[in-house]
Amino acid sequence: MVEETYIEKVCIVRANSIVVDTVPRFSSDDSLFAEFSKQAFRQINPEYPKFFKMDSLSKLAVLAAEYLLEGQPIDDLALVLANRSGSLDTDVRHQESIQNEQEYYPSPATFVYTLANICAGEISIRHGLQTENAFFIAEDYPINTARSYTEYLLKSGKAKRVLCGWVEFFEEKYDAVLYIVSPKGTNKHSAENIKKLFE
Amino acid sequence: MAELKEELKGKIIEVLNLEDIAVADIADSDPLFGEGLGLDSIDALELIVLMDKEYGIKLSDPKQGKSIFQSIDTMAAYIAENRTK
Amino acid sequence: MSFGSAVYIHDFNCFTALGEDAEANWASILAGNGGIKAHNIGFLSEVYASKIDFSTIAVDEASEETRLEYILSQVMAPILNNHKPSRRTALVLSSTKGNISYLESGKKKEAELYRLAKKLSVKAGIVTEPILVSHACVSGVLAISVAKRLIQMDQYDEAIVLAGDELSAFVLSGFQAFQAVSPFPCKPFDADRAGVSLGEAGACLFLSRDSSMFKILGEGAINDANHISGPSRTGEGLFRSVQAALEEANVEADAIEFIAAHGTATAYNDEMESIAFNRLGLSTVPLNSLKGYFGHTLGASGLLETVITLKSMQEGVLIPTLGFEKLGTSQPLNVVERITKKTVRRVLKTASGFGGSNAAILIEKTW
């Protein structure tokens, strides 16, 4: 049975830069997320055309996960994600496509992203994670809930490791803080240490 | 017809977000699904929206799409015959 | 392997087109009624869906409650009466789209889901931060698991699990773009099924460590990792979710006496379920889908169907699959076709949805 759990690795994507643990991995002067994410993703994975079909929230989640999971074992890796806006950025786009009767062309490729958990599904598909998945929505990162839920998955044996964190995107404002929790490491998986990731 | 085919390729690349694929990369007879451009089921539905929005063609039976969306050749032929705009 | 103390389900309630509480819904189902009727929704006319009739409901205009908030407040009220929230009571809300109709008038902030959760928790007098599960069509089942898991981790002593989604032009237009809406009331698992009928509902139940008639034996929620809109051809995620629930319960698949399936009536979903259940050796276990009564109520569906199934276990009466006539899946299933008196002790509830998501929960009737 798992006793101690640790924050093993962290990836932060914000303000056009990507930092893994404390190492800067990518940054760009491009202010648009679409361009920034394209360059950043190509640098680490030039061969995944599916990436360019995703909405912004999924791009953000998959991009952060790509850097975080580089060189990592993915066996029995569960996902516990959260954000504030859900899929609202894409919801607004879908609403625009159905707002007027004369210009009524709802797009299946847009609509499918009007669910917050799709970005978790995209990470699962990219890395072949047939594992526990949960998506929460809260005003701020629900530290205690994410922590308890993750501990549950590890201690009950329902996962060996957990990819957790925050993936928020709305109207070009974005922030991703993803981290791996496992029975291995030195940085304890405590509420205080999770809080520090968001400072 | 050649003009329609070029236009169609451009629209497909734009609507389906086909990164790194240019109009010149798509041959008129290339299969769009499976081996060809590697389109999937959501792309097929998106092509149905494109037919409606750009050419005023309503396809209500997804099975119909299978034969129409085989290649640029088959799509262009169907559009030329059935377009209402 | 099980972990933590056992968690039990106490009171439950639901609010649908068939009735304003669980009793009214149960009576209506026994009378053979279905809630799916032709409606005009947004720019779309004559669409089959299950819609709660507000024309006879006296809504307090001054309260500024949305339809969805009204439904959720109503469904939660009797549960709150029986269980006054303490400082260690959680509110776990399941919803996919919440007050999404605000977007029609450009109100983006108001459409944010967390605001709905906060509003409801204030109204309920719950002091802990509300937890909102938004995980496509498995949200309702997953919300029960989330509440159970957090109680087992001792973050809470008890939880009100609440679920709701509203029928909206937003969602309907999307399902139509997917060519997934049935031209007649949906026919789950049937050979002539032609897609979903959408619906709206609220559902609620109360969980705690105190023993009661219904014990949660095990659960799991595992992704297909296959496609964001199409279910796995092998039913892998659903198969594994049920396996996880069985493993936690420490029982074999033959312990399952009834399956409350997802059964959306799309060609691919129902076929996928038949494959997953057959891989588990469950092809002869009585099974139903309640979508023919309520339509697909998205984030509410898993909880609503659990509520009706608990009632079914309590009464010893299995409910048929409204709309089903002739099996239309490649693998055999034992679809319940008429009201059947039968006591079932262990019941499996499942759900699957967009994003490759799946969830399963195994519930035992303890007396």
Side-chain angles (χ1 to χ4, degrees):
Chain A
M1 170 135 154
V2 174
E3 293 292 341
E4 288 296 336
T5 59
Y6 301 89
I7 300 172
E8 200 186 323
K9 191 177 177 187
V10 184
C11 176
I12 295 175
V13 182
R14 65 168 67 117
N16 296 331
S17 72
I18 301 176
V19 177
V20 178
D21 289 329
T22 53
V23 183
R25 290 291 311 275
F26 183 86
S27 73
S28 131
D29 295 333
D30 236 299
S31 57
L32 281 177
F33 178 75
E35 200 48 43
F36 158 74
S37 61
K38 184 194 285 187
Q39 293 169 11
F41 191 80
R42 277 208 173 128
Q43 174 179 285
I44 189 162
N45 185 346
E47 279 166 34
Y48 196 63
K50 263 189 194 164
F51 180 81
F52 305 103
K53 298 185 158 231
M54 297 174 193
D55 78 338
S56 301
L57 176 63
S58 285
K59 277 182 181 157
L60 178 63
V62 169
L63 175 63
E66 197 74 20
Y67 278 84
L68 182 67
L69 294 178
E70 192 184 25
Q72 288 286 312
I74 49 153
D75 178 38
D76 226 349
L77 175 74
L79 292 183
V80 178
L81 300 179
N83 79 2
R84 180 183 308 150
S85 301
S87 57
L88 196 58
D89 189 73
T90 299
D91 294 352
V92 170
R93 288 184 52 210
H94 176 65
Q95 183 62 42
E96 284 166 359
S97 75
I98 60 166
Q99 190 72 20
N100 299 308
E101 199 167 6
Q102 284 72 37
E103 278 295 305
Y104 181 90
Y105 297 107
S107 148
T110 303
F111 177 69
V112 72
Y113 288 100
T114 62
L115 292 162
N117 64 298
I118 299 296
C119 68
E122 290 284 17
I123 295 176
S124 297
I125 293 168
R126 165 65 190 94
H127 299 279
L129 307 175
Q130 290 179 328
T131 54
E132 283 279 342
N133 258 214
F135 200 99
F136 297 99
I137 292 179
E139 188 173 11
D140 299 300
Y141 189 57
I143 292 175
N144 291 325
T145 296
R147 184 179 167 278
S148 294
Y149 195 81
T150 298
E151 295 275 307
Y152 171 85
L153 291 173
L154 295 170
K155 291 183 174 172
S156 66
K158 284 183 178 168
K160 282 191 187 138
R161 303 162 86 233
V162 185
L163 190 168
C164 321
W166 181 254
V167 273
E168 164 67 13
F169 189 103
F170 185 61
E171 293 182 339
E172 285 295 311
K173 284 203 194 99
Y174 64 90
D175 192 23
V177 178
L178 295 188
Y179 55 96
I180 296 171
V181 178
S182 83
K184 216 172 66 180
T186 51
N187 187 17
K188 271 199 177 174
H189 182 225
S190 64
E192 301 86 89
N193 287 337
I194 298 170
K195 204 173 163 204
K196 278 183 198 154
L197 303 178
F198 288 84
E199 281 165 1
Chain B
M1 195 58 133
E3 203 177 304
L4 173 61
K5 286 179 187 172
E6 293 303 288
E7 172 191 295
L8 198 51
K9 288 175 194 173
K11 281 184 174 152
I12 288 174
I13 289 169
E14 188 198 329
V15 172
L16 303 185
N17 294 309
L18 302 179
E19 192 67 20
D20 297 330
I21 291 175
V23 168
D25 297 335
I26 308 175
D28 294 351
S29 59
D30 276 354
L32 297 177
F33 289 83
E35 285 300 295
L37 289 179
L39 305 187
D40 74 354
S41 56
I42 299 180
D43 295 319
L45 293 163
E46 205 59 41
L47 289 181
I48 291 175
V49 177
L50 182 146
M51 297 289 272
D52 184 11
K53 193 172 177 177
E54 303 293 335
Y55 305 105
I57 298 172
K58 290 202 188 296
L59 301 172
S60 51
D61 182 3
K63 283 177 200 128
Q64 229 184 330
K66 232 175 196 169
S67 56
I68 299 166
F69 300 147
Q70 273 176 22
S71 65
I72 293 293
D73 276 334
T74 57
M75 255 184 107
Y78 190 85
I79 291 168
E81 201 162 309
N82 296 284
R83 66 190 299 170
T84 62
K85 67 178 180 190
Chain C
M1 182 170 76
S2 77
F3 173 84
S5 54
V7 175
Y8 296 83
I9 304 172
H10 297 254
D11 316 25
F12 48 80
N13 195 21
C14 64
F15 186 172
T16 78
L18 288 185
E20 290 187 38
D21 60 24
E23 291 303 325
N25 272 277
W26 183 251
S28 193
I29 287 171
L30 290 186
N33 297 332
I36 300 173
K37 303 268 170 349
H39 292 282
N40 299 333
I41 301 153
F43 302 130
L44 305 164
S45 51
E46 294 288 300
V47 182
Y48 282 97
S50 169
K51 192 170 197 267
I52 294 172
D53 181 8
F54 267 66
S55 65
T56 57
I57 295 170
V59 181
D60 178 8
E61 296 286 338
S63 76
E64 291 187 9
E65 260 185 346
T66 64
R67 287 178 82 241
L68 181 62
E69 287 161 11
Y70 178 83
I71 293 167
L72 289 168
S73 302
Q74 286 295 115
V75 79
M76 181 166 60
I79 310 280
L80 287 169
N81 273 341
N82 290 349
H83 306 276
K84 192 176 156 26
S86 77
R87 300 191 65 79
R88 301 218 349 125
T89 305
L91 173 67
V92 180
L93 174 65
S94 154
S95 184
T96 62
K97 298 313 312 162
N99 285 318
I100 195 67
S101 298
Y102 271 129
L103 288 188
E104 288 170 12
S105 46
K107 292 179 176 164
K108 298 176 195 169
K109 285 262 167 284
E110 288 82 348
E112 289 174 334
L113 267 164
Y114 81 87
R115 289 175 197 270
L116 171 67
K118 287 212 160 181
K119 235 170 148 174
L120 289 162
S121 85
V122 168
K123 181 146 191 183
I126 290 168
V127 294
T128 56
E129 266 307 299
I131 293 165
L132 205 160
V133 178
S134 193
H135 209 101
C137 304
V138 313
S139 304
V141 178
L142 184 58
I144 305 173
S145 294
V146 166
K148 164 193 166 278
R149 292 170 177 190
L150 294 176
I151 290 171
Q152 289 181 316
M153 286 302 294
D154 206 26
Q155 184 170 331
Y156 304 104
D157 291 335
E158 52 188 35
I160 289 168
V161 185
L162 181 64
D165 261 313
E166 174 184 34
L167 186 62
S168 65
F170 185 99
V171 172
L172 178 63
S173 61
F175 273 84
Q176 283 212 330
F178 261 88
Q179 305 208 335
V181 179
S182 176
F184 40 78
C186 69
K187 296 171 76 67
F189 299 111
D190 191 84
D192 296 325
R193 68 186 184 277
V196 302
S197 299
L198 292 174
E200 60 186 0
C204 189
L205 48 80
F206 184 82
L207 295 187
S208 84
R209 294 189 199 95
D210 298 335
S211 71
S212 77
M213 184 186 263
F214 302 110
K215 182 182 178 186
I216 300 173
L217 292 183
E219 35 78 22
I222 291 178
N223 198 283
D224 287 330
N226 174 61
H227 193 270
I228 51 170
S229 64
S232 154
R233 303 252 162 175
T234 57
E236 192 62 27
L238 179 57
F239 174 79
R240 288 185 187 217
S241 298
V242 176
Q243 271 192 329
L246 291 169
E247 206 170 296
E248 182 183 348
N250 199 19
V251 296
E252 299 294 320
D254 61 10
I256 297 169
E257 294 168 28
F258 178 73
I259 304 169
H262 188 49
T264 60
T266 67
Y268 289 116
N269 173 79
D270 294 6
E271 172 65 12
M272 178 280 286
E273 286 188 65
S274 84
I275 292 167
F277 293 139
N278 271 266
R279 285 179 65 192
L280 289 155
L282 298 172
S283 60
T284 59
V285 177
L287 160 152
N288 76 5
S289 157
L290 296 171
K291 299 288 191 294
Y293 296 95
F294 307 115
H296 191 348
T297 58
L298 310 171
S301 65
L303 202 69
L304 168 64
E305 290 153 15
T306 300
V307 164
I308 299 297
T309 303
L310 293 175
K311 187 74 186 153
S312 187
M313 292 167 83
Q314 213 171 46
E315 302 291 330
V317 173
L318 301 186
I319 296 302
T321 299
L322 190 63
F324 174 83
E325 288 167 282
K326 185 171 169 283
L327 188 68
T329 55
S330 71
Q331 305 299 310
L333 289 172
N334 181 9
V335 181
V336 179
E337 291 185 65
R338 55 189 68 83
I339 291 175
T340 311
K341 274 199 175 278
K342 189 176 164 73
T343 304
V344 286
R345 229 161 68 79
R346 292 198 184 104
V347 165
L348 177 72
K349 171 68 198 132
T350 67
S352 301
F354 274 1
S357 49
N358 300 276
I361 189 161
L362 189 62
I363 299 168
E364 181 177 67
K365 185 167 173 280
T366 56
W367 69 71

